[in-house]
Amino acid sequence: MITASIKLIEISCRGAQINPDRSMVEDTSNKHLTPIRLMKLLAFALAGSTIALAMCCLLTYLSIEDSQAAGMISHLVIQRLTYWGLGCSFVILSLSNILIRRGSRQLKSIRIPALVFIITVAFSSFLLIPRMDYLRETALQDGMPVNVSPFANYFLILNSLLFFLLLIQLLTTILVSWRLSGLIENRST
């Protein structure tokens, strides 16, 4: 009886080795391939747009001699891309939370960087840039550029903080993309 069951197990194992389409163990790792692929696509697009945003801001400062005009153009570009960044990161964060509840625990590593990205984008675009625009307009109404106005030190602090937040945004999008690219897609047919 025992030898018959061992032979049956050996035959089943040989059949599984010969026929890879016949799986002996249920593979549940590819349950959420479509949402993970969508998150990867959005993360790579978000990282690419953040890199392009940083390059655009750098090129405006290098190509325009007037730093006040370069800052105004950079701030406009940052504010225009804010909604794209917030939308992509919100979708990534929402999908990762849903998939974590459904058992994909490896997605926990992207929640904190995505949340940090959302906070830094919202803080820079909705708080810092409008405050800097107000300081710039106030200085222009007084007939001087902002770099020689009484608000010059305050403006420099805000501009440095904005640069630091842009750097954080760049690092967090690259981190999210890198962590999502590390997910292994097991394709079983």
Side-chain angles (χ1 to χ4, degrees):
M1 178 79 169
I2 294 176
T3 57
S5 62
I6 291 176
K7 286 190 178 208
L8 182 62
I9 291 173
E10 287 177 0
I11 291 171
S12 297
C13 289
R14 271 190 245 128
Q17 289 173 352
I18 293 171
N19 187 3
D21 292 335
R22 184 175 162 219
S23 177
M24 294 185 65
V25 179
E26 181 181 347
D27 185 19
T28 60
S29 63
N30 64 353
K31 271 193 303 198
H32 309 294
L33 276 181
T34 305
I36 289 175
R37 286 181 182 162
L38 175 66
M39 287 179 7
K40 283 182 184 182
L41 176 72
L42 288 175
F44 287 129
L46 186 61
S49 67
T50 308
I51 290 169
L53 174 68
M55 295 297 290
C56 179
C57 291
L58 181 67
L59 287 176
T60 56
Y61 276 107
L62 293 177
S63 63
I64 299 175
E65 291 180 18
D66 185 15
S67 63
Q68 186 168 344
M72 291 169 69
I73 292 172
S74 296
H75 294 165
L76 285 174
V77 171
I78 289 172
Q79 284 182 323
R80 296 298 182 253
L81 286 177
T82 294
Y83 299 109
W84 159 256
L86 286 176
C88 286
S89 58
F90 180 75
V91 169
I92 290 170
L93 188 63
S94 299
L95 281 175
S96 67
N97 285 335
I98 290 169
L99 293 179
I100 287 169
R101 287 188 188 135
R102 292 185 181 174
S104 296
R105 301 282 179 217
Q106 70 270 21
L107 292 173
K108 279 188 173 184
S109 65
I110 66 166
R111 288 194 303 185
I112 297 295
L115 189 60
V116 167
F117 178 78
I118 289 173
I119 291 170
T120 57
V121 165
F123 186 76
S124 64
S125 292
F126 299 126
L127 293 176
L128 283 182
I129 291 177
R131 182 67 181 163
M132 292 171 73
D133 288 342
Y134 172 74
L135 292 174
R136 190 179 295 119
E137 287 174 13
T138 305
L140 287 175
Q141 285 177 357
D142 292 338
M144 62 185 85
V146 74
N147 57 354
V148 294
S149 72
F151 309 116
N153 289 334
Y154 183 51
F155 189 84
L156 181 65
I157 291 169
L158 292 179
N159 202 20
S160 301
L161 185 59
L162 185 66
F163 174 73
F164 180 69
L165 289 176
L166 183 62
L167 196 66
I168 289 174
Q169 292 170 18
L170 186 63
L171 292 175
T172 54
T173 56
I174 290 172
L175 183 64
V176 167
S177 299
W178 177 63
R179 287 184 177 170
L180 277 174
S181 69
L183 293 178
I184 299 172
E185 293 181 10
N186 291 329
R187 296 183 183 125
S188 64
T189 55

